[in-house]
Amino acid sequence: MLKIKDLHANVEGKEILRGINLEVNAGEVHAIMGPNGSGKSTLASVIAGNETYEVTAGDIFLNGENIEDLSPEERAHNGVFLSFQYPVEIPGVSVTNFMKTAINESRKAKGLEDMPAKDMLKLIRDKSELLEIDRKFLSRSLNEGFSGGEKKRNEIFQMAMLEPKLAILDETDSGLDIDALRIVANGVNKLKSKDNAVVVITHYQRLLEYIVPDFVHVLYNGKIVKSGTKELAMELEEKGYDWIKQEAAV
Amino acid sequence: MDLKDKLVSSFLAFENNVDVHNPVHDVRTEAIKNFETKGFPSRKEEAWKYTSLNSLQKIDFSIFPKKESSLEYKDVKKYFIHQIDTYKIVFIDGVFSSNLSETTHDGVDICLMSSALTKPMYKAVIDVYFNKVASKDESLTTLNTAFSREGAYIYIPKNKVPKKPIEIIHFSTGNDVALMLQPRNLIIAEENSEMQIIERHQSLTSNAVLTNCVTEIFAAKNAIVDYYKVQNDVDSASLVDNTYVDQKDGSHVKVHTFSFGGKLLRNNLNFYQNGERIDSTMKGITIIGDKQHVDHHTLVHHIEPNCESHQDYKGIYADSSTGVFNGKIIVDKIAQKTNAFQKNNNILISDKATINTKPQLEIFADDVKCSHGCTIGQLDEEALFYLQSRGIPKKEARALLMYAFANNVLESVSIPELKVRINKLIANKLGVNLGFDL
Ligand SMILES: Nc1ncnc2c1ncn2[C@@H]1O[C@H](COP(=O)(O)OP(=O)(O)OP(=O)(O)O)[C@@H](O)[C@H]1O
Ligand SMILES: [Mg+2]
């Protein structure tokens, strides 16, 4: 599904990603961990097509196709979804209108008619129930004044609405209380199937108890320095990153 | 002959067609003298620093239409808020069109300035109100006063509310190569009365039009006047709009100005708060491009204590368009407990677009709450990426952000069909169809 080869990326002339290699197949869950500032969010943004970051070398393939020249919206139409670490506040656009626009623009890109209003309402109702989101919430301006946890829950609501092939969840667990974490993880697990894949970026083992990864990678200094299975996450939780940093320095 | 000389000499011809013995004519005569002395404002004057009328003065405007024209309703229906029933006061090339209009004298007067200025039954009202709040000094206002003869006359007596909103529309047909229009409106809301007005100036061809309009609004105790100016004219039409509002105790007057088109638009909005517990609201959305120019000059004069004023202007400027916002707030020494708020936020979506924005506060009282804020920015790139990452194409995402930016100004529009219309005009202006109304 996703194949990243020797990916290098800069921001403002500074190299942040220094040769990432990663392969994610349909049906898999991958976790990416790593110290603050190591480049996890940058990697997620680059996959989603954020032009703030300049790809200087390497390739990203989505279902075998090089997506270098695709705009963020085209990547979204091809099934990429990024749950933002810091969702952007957009005053003046309600959650509902935003979702309607997003869904219908994706349909338009696929040559489909707008979703009938009735179906749209039902979809919104079903997905907001799944994530236990109050209806009143949906008429509020997107992310404006949302609490940290509400923003994250709203990201997963959007994911549930858009049903992506490849979901990248950037620290979706941070800011969630214990109940919300369970609800959000449940939302993610509902979407999981053999046809799609999830990449979870997290600092904590806790989320991985709900969304169980097939592989765990450690990103440090712009490179994946270690990969393993879910046991690696437990080891990191126990020991921290010092030993990884030492290994990487050797 | 330059336009000033032409206007001054046309005054003689104008006098052949009005009753020079009517006291109103003394007002006109006084006014033309003032204009003759002052002439058109130049950029040397502070208030006209960023707006030049020079190129307009070079056009050979007809001061009176050469012949009467008529229009079919079906051809101009789209300029009305036709989804609802309204009173209509319609002019074609400055001349009242009875077949497009729907006036009334049923408990309220929604009719013509020409009748009000000439018929004895209106004399008492004219004596009290005509040219009483309009400036006797500002040159374009006095020019309008000199030629005042036609326009809308609206008189809502105590405790009355007209059954429906009132539309005032001026069409120009292009029968003249270039036409200057000078409508004069007088709007009186007596105690506890209420009204909604929509005003529009619309040219139907690419022939040049210059409109120099003056509207006087009097809101008596507890009256409510809700006024909407829809400015979406063609690129050959220019408008100088002078609105003067006199408010008494507890009255609420709101003016919304939607500026989406025209060659040059200058809005002079002047509010005088002659009473307590008054609320004055001025809101605007400006979305222009090409070489269009929009200039908003507002004035609120807080004369008595315990009043409020609210100003919220949003502007989006593309291409080589230029914008001006100048908001003057005067708080007199005795006007304690005044709340005066002013906001002007702008987005420039092209390197060549410019905006000059300036608050002008003259506060002489000490117990007041005043806030003002001007911002000039670009579209938020991070927000743009967020929307795109959800599958919304860049063009639509930009439009959505611009909509969102301007949107809160629409919240106070009290005619739903008008709100829908404005939303459509905005979508049109941004070249998108978002499939919903914000
Ligand atoms: N737009 C930007 N401009 C400048 N520097 C940036 C930008 N984006 C990222 N960086 C820098 O790149 C590095 C990697 O940042 P990134 O956000 O990818 O880290 P992260 O691994 O997600 O960290 P965290 O765990 O704290 O979320 C940091 O040093 C950061 O300051
Ligand atoms: Mg991060």
mmCIF file of all heavy atoms in Angstrom, chain B residues 285-300:
data_model
loop_
_atom_site.group_PDB
_atom_site.id
_atom_site.type_symbol
_atom_site.label_atom_id
_atom_site.label_comp_id
_atom_site.label_asym_id
_atom_site.label_seq_id
_atom_site.Cartn_x
_atom_site.Cartn_y
_atom_site.Cartn_z
ATOM 1 N N ILE B 285 -18.971 43.772 3.904
ATOM 2 C CA ILE B 285 -18.090 42.792 3.260
ATOM 3 C C ILE B 285 -17.689 43.378 1.916
ATOM 4 O O ILE B 285 -18.547 43.797 1.141
ATOM 5 C CB ILE B 285 -18.789 41.433 3.031
ATOM 6 C CG1 ILE B 285 -19.240 40.821 4.352
ATOM 7 C CG2 ILE B 285 -17.843 40.463 2.304
ATOM 8 C CD1 ILE B 285 -19.983 39.499 4.186
ATOM 9 N N THR B 286 -16.415 43.424 1.665
ATOM 10 C CA THR B 286 -15.918 43.912 0.390
ATOM 11 C C THR B 286 -15.112 42.796 -0.255
ATOM 12 O O THR B 286 -14.207 42.250 0.377
ATOM 13 C CB THR B 286 -14.991 45.130 0.615
ATOM 14 O OG1 THR B 286 -15.718 46.128 1.332
ATOM 15 C CG2 THR B 286 -14.500 45.695 -0.700
ATOM 16 N N ILE B 287 -15.496 42.412 -1.446
ATOM 17 C CA ILE B 287 -14.695 41.423 -2.188
ATOM 18 C C ILE B 287 -14.524 41.966 -3.597
ATOM 19 O O ILE B 287 -15.494 42.035 -4.365
ATOM 20 C CB ILE B 287 -15.369 40.043 -2.241
ATOM 21 C CG1 ILE B 287 -15.707 39.536 -0.829
ATOM 22 C CG2 ILE B 287 -14.452 39.033 -2.951
ATOM 23 C CD1 ILE B 287 -16.459 38.221 -0.816
ATOM 24 N N ILE B 288 -13.344 42.410 -3.925
ATOM 25 C CA ILE B 288 -13.149 42.979 -5.253
ATOM 26 C C ILE B 288 -11.859 42.473 -5.883
ATOM 27 O O ILE B 288 -11.011 41.885 -5.216
ATOM 28 C CB ILE B 288 -13.147 44.528 -5.232
ATOM 29 C CG1 ILE B 288 -12.149 45.071 -4.210
ATOM 30 C CG2 ILE B 288 -14.551 45.062 -4.955
ATOM 31 C CD1 ILE B 288 -11.916 46.570 -4.317
ATOM 32 N N GLY B 289 -11.757 42.728 -7.181
ATOM 33 C CA GLY B 289 -10.575 42.309 -7.929
ATOM 34 C C GLY B 289 -10.324 43.293 -9.061
ATOM 35 O O GLY B 289 -10.785 44.435 -9.013
ATOM 36 N N ASP B 290 -9.640 42.838 -10.097
ATOM 37 C CA ASP B 290 -9.273 43.708 -11.230
ATOM 38 C C ASP B 290 -8.691 45.022 -10.724
ATOM 39 O O ASP B 290 -7.837 45.027 -9.879
ATOM 40 C CB ASP B 290 -10.484 43.949 -12.149
ATOM 41 C CG ASP B 290 -11.004 42.644 -12.726
ATOM 42 O OD1 ASP B 290 -10.175 41.741 -12.961
ATOM 43 O OD2 ASP B 290 -12.224 42.511 -12.901
ATOM 44 N N LYS B 291 -9.235 46.122 -11.272
ATOM 45 C CA LYS B 291 -8.725 47.427 -10.819
ATOM 46 C C LYS B 291 -9.781 48.142 -9.989
ATOM 47 O O LYS B 291 -9.784 49.373 -9.883
ATOM 48 C CB LYS B 291 -8.360 48.276 -12.040
ATOM 49 C CG LYS B 291 -7.134 47.766 -12.775
ATOM 50 C CD LYS B 291 -6.598 48.854 -13.696
ATOM 51 C CE LYS B 291 -5.233 48.547 -14.209
ATOM 52 N NZ LYS B 291 -5.205 48.118 -15.607
ATOM 53 N N GLN B 292 -10.679 47.384 -9.406
ATOM 54 C CA GLN B 292 -11.765 48.011 -8.654
ATOM 55 C C GLN B 292 -11.241 48.712 -7.402
ATOM 56 O O GLN B 292 -10.211 48.348 -6.849
ATOM 57 C CB GLN B 292 -12.797 46.947 -8.274
ATOM 58 C CG GLN B 292 -13.523 46.407 -9.500
ATOM 59 C CD GLN B 292 -14.358 45.179 -9.194
ATOM 60 O OE1 GLN B 292 -14.037 44.398 -8.308
ATOM 61 N NE2 GLN B 292 -15.427 45.018 -9.945
ATOM 62 N N HIS B 293 -12.022 49.690 -6.982
ATOM 63 C CA HIS B 293 -11.617 50.501 -5.827
ATOM 64 C C HIS B 293 -12.819 50.689 -4.908
ATOM 65 O O HIS B 293 -13.881 51.112 -5.353
ATOM 66 C CB HIS B 293 -11.116 51.856 -6.332
ATOM 67 C CG HIS B 293 -10.716 52.793 -5.229
ATOM 68 N ND1 HIS B 293 -9.465 52.758 -4.650
ATOM 69 C CD2 HIS B 293 -11.400 53.777 -4.598
ATOM 70 C CE1 HIS B 293 -9.395 53.700 -3.703
ATOM 71 N NE2 HIS B 293 -10.559 54.329 -3.653
ATOM 72 N N VAL B 294 -12.649 50.348 -3.640
ATOM 73 C CA VAL B 294 -13.728 50.554 -2.673
ATOM 74 C C VAL B 294 -13.178 51.321 -1.472
ATOM 75 O O VAL B 294 -12.139 50.955 -0.912
ATOM 76 C CB VAL B 294 -14.336 49.213 -2.192
ATOM 77 C CG1 VAL B 294 -15.330 49.458 -1.054
ATOM 78 C CG2 VAL B 294 -15.036 48.501 -3.341
ATOM 79 N N ASP B 295 -13.883 52.363 -1.108
ATOM 80 C CA ASP B 295 -13.448 53.226 -0.007
ATOM 81 C C ASP B 295 -14.603 53.365 0.988
ATOM 82 O O ASP B 295 -15.674 53.849 0.641
ATOM 83 C CB ASP B 295 -13.060 54.594 -0.606
ATOM 84 C CG ASP B 295 -12.590 55.592 0.449
ATOM 85 O OD1 ASP B 295 -12.819 55.365 1.649
ATOM 86 O OD2 ASP B 295 -12.018 56.621 0.045
ATOM 87 N N HIS B 296 -14.384 52.878 2.216
ATOM 88 C CA HIS B 296 -15.394 53.043 3.268
ATOM 89 C C HIS B 296 -14.923 54.110 4.241
ATOM 90 O O HIS B 296 -13.889 53.940 4.889
ATOM 91 C CB HIS B 296 -15.564 51.736 4.058
ATOM 92 C CG HIS B 296 -16.135 50.608 3.255
ATOM 93 N ND1 HIS B 296 -17.440 50.575 2.832
ATOM 94 C CD2 HIS B 296 -15.575 49.455 2.799
ATOM 95 C CE1 HIS B 296 -17.665 49.456 2.160
ATOM 96 N NE2 HIS B 296 -16.542 48.757 2.118
ATOM 97 N N HIS B 297 -15.655 55.157 4.323
ATOM 98 C CA HIS B 297 -15.396 56.186 5.334
ATOM 99 C C HIS B 297 -16.564 56.199 6.310
ATOM 100 O O HIS B 297 -17.696 56.471 5.903
ATOM 101 C CB HIS B 297 -15.254 57.563 4.673
ATOM 102 C CG HIS B 297 -13.834 57.957 4.455
ATOM 103 N ND1 HIS B 297 -13.016 57.311 3.558
ATOM 104 C CD2 HIS B 297 -13.071 58.927 5.030
ATOM 105 C CE1 HIS B 297 -11.815 57.887 3.587
ATOM 106 N NE2 HIS B 297 -11.826 58.860 4.477
ATOM 107 N N THR B 298 -16.298 55.867 7.557
ATOM 108 C CA THR B 298 -17.406 55.869 8.519
ATOM 109 C C THR B 298 -17.146 56.916 9.597
ATOM 110 O O THR B 298 -16.006 57.242 9.905
ATOM 111 C CB THR B 298 -17.557 54.494 9.209
ATOM 112 O OG1 THR B 298 -16.389 54.235 9.998
ATOM 113 C CG2 THR B 298 -17.739 53.377 8.209
ATOM 114 N N LEU B 299 -18.246 57.414 10.125
ATOM 115 C CA LEU B 299 -18.161 58.345 11.248
ATOM 116 C C LEU B 299 -19.276 58.005 12.240
ATOM 117 O O LEU B 299 -20.427 57.838 11.846
ATOM 118 C CB LEU B 299 -18.362 59.791 10.762
ATOM 119 C CG LEU B 299 -18.705 60.808 11.866
ATOM 120 C CD1 LEU B 299 -17.480 61.125 12.716
ATOM 121 C CD2 LEU B 299 -19.273 62.096 11.281
ATOM 122 N N VAL B 300 -18.910 57.860 13.494
ATOM 123 C CA VAL B 300 -19.934 57.780 14.544
ATOM 124 C C VAL B 300 -19.632 58.897 15.523
ATOM 125 O O VAL B 300 -18.526 58.979 16.059
ATOM 126 C CB VAL B 300 -19.885 56.464 15.350
ATOM 127 C CG1 VAL B 300 -21.145 56.332 16.196
ATOM 128 C CG2 VAL B 300 -19.724 55.280 14.447
#
